[in-house]
Amino acid sequence: MYLQNHIGEKSHICEVCGTAFSNRSKLKTHLRTHTGEKPFACEVCGASFAQLSHLKSHIRIHTGEKPYTCDVCGSAFAKSSHLKIHIRTHTGEKPYACKLCGSAFSQNSQLKIHMQKHTGDKPHSCEVCGSGFSYSYDLNIHMRTHTGEKPYTCELCSSAFSRKYLLKIHMQNHTGEKPHVCKVCSSAFSYSSDLKVHLRTHTGEKNHLCGVCGSMFSKNSTLKTHLRTHTGEKPYACEICGAAFTQISHLKSHIRTHTGEKPYTCEVCHSAFSKSSDLKIHLRKHTGEKPYACELCGSAFSRKYKLNIHMQNHTDESSL
């Protein structure tokens, strides 16, 4: 028997599947995979196992014992196999590779899950609506659409979210963080979607078409507002005087005519205005900017209406 272990002779053969073993005890243990026998039972919870070593490993769940320690970071584990997998986080070893796309993983279980992307297999089904998912994690998150569960709560304003990343994005409203930066002009945004829309100001991309007049817009929200010029819809009404507006920003500006609020202040002379557009026009007094030029004589003006008045002089001259 001793010599068999060294020379590799496997004379003990399983009569069920033909697998050969070097000694009788290994064959005996193997036969339990066919018979389903599990003679080693846990005295704490009753779980049973085919091998004594598996029972010993299981018992550590109850005792909390973790005899296998990582020499690199000191993390401890109940099973040697768990330590072996953990060490790959330090070595970067990924022995399980996908034969279709080459993606590699540190655990075989991760590879099996990954393969579902290629096979389209969705073994996790929602019992409510029948939607299928490749991963149990995605199914658990999906169930929140039915239960309304929102386990991630903002500690500052109590807003709740179904996904952790949604809470993380929300927190930018409180911190003022703007991690998404335009590479063209360095403008910063809290959300990647806002940056994507902003980039159209540089590319000139306008893919939202008005079906009435053919005008193109870079934002769907801008198109929606534009359509009100055709429908005449004015959904934003002043509760004080009843005046209605196509845009909520126009309503907010109008309300200041009642409240007297002037939040836009000139840094040069400290004049205050109720509209940002009025402040922009006022600043031209200080800068001397005159953006409206006459194409006939070159005269320039700070306000468009002044150019229109000026153009009447040319009209009167041509009629003489």
Side-chain angles (χ1 to χ4, degrees), residues 174 210 262 296 302:
H174 298 298
C210 173
K262 295 181 177 182
L296 298 175
S302 60

Side-chain angles (χ1 to χ4, degrees), residues 208-213 215-236 245-251:
H208 298 282
L209 172 68
C210 173
V212 180
C213 67
S215 298
M216 300 288 292
F217 301 89
S218 59
K219 301 179 185 179
N220 186 50
S221 58
T222 307
L223 170 60
K224 188 176 180 180
T225 299
H226 163 78
L227 285 170
R228 293 174 186 147
T229 62
H230 299 299
T231 63
E233 181 190 7
K234 295 182 178 181
Y236 305 103
F245 303 88
T246 57
Q247 299 183 45
I248 192 169
S249 59
H250 292 175
L251 171 60

Side-chain angles (χ1 to χ4, degrees), residues 60 64-70 76-80 83:
R60 293 177 190 135
E65 181 189 3
K66 295 181 178 181
Y68 303 100
T69 305
C70 174
F77 302 88
K79 297 181 180 180
S80 60
L83 172 60

Side-chain angles (χ1 to χ4, degrees), residues 106-126:
S106 60
Q107 299 182 47
N108 189 41
S109 59
Q110 293 173 340
L111 173 59
K112 288 181 178 179
I113 292 173
H114 165 80
M115 290 304 297
Q116 293 171 3
K117 291 183 178 180
H118 298 299
T119 62
D121 185 25
K122 295 183 178 181
H124 306 282
S125 298
C126 174

Side-chain angles (χ1 to χ4, degrees), residues 179-184 187-202:
H180 304 283
V181 181
C182 174
K183 293 180 180 180
V184 180
S187 297
F189 302 88
S190 298
Y191 310 111
S192 59
S193 58
D194 290 342
L195 172 59
K196 186 177 180 180
V197 171
H198 163 78
L199 286 171
R200 294 174 187 155
T201 62
H202 298 299

Side-chain angles (χ1 to χ4, degrees), residues 38-52:
K38 295 180 179 180
F40 305 101
C42 174
E43 295 181 355
V44 180
C45 67
S48 58
F49 303 88
Q51 299 183 42
L52 179 61

Side-chain angles (χ1 to χ4, degrees), residues 7 31 34 37 74 94 142 171 215 235-236 248 255 262 280 293 297:
I7 64 177
L31 285 172
H34 300 298
E37 181 188 6
K94 294 181 178 180
H142 164 78
M171 290 305 296
S215 298
Y236 305 103
I248 192 169
I255 288 174
K262 295 181 177 182
K280 184 177 180 180
C297 68

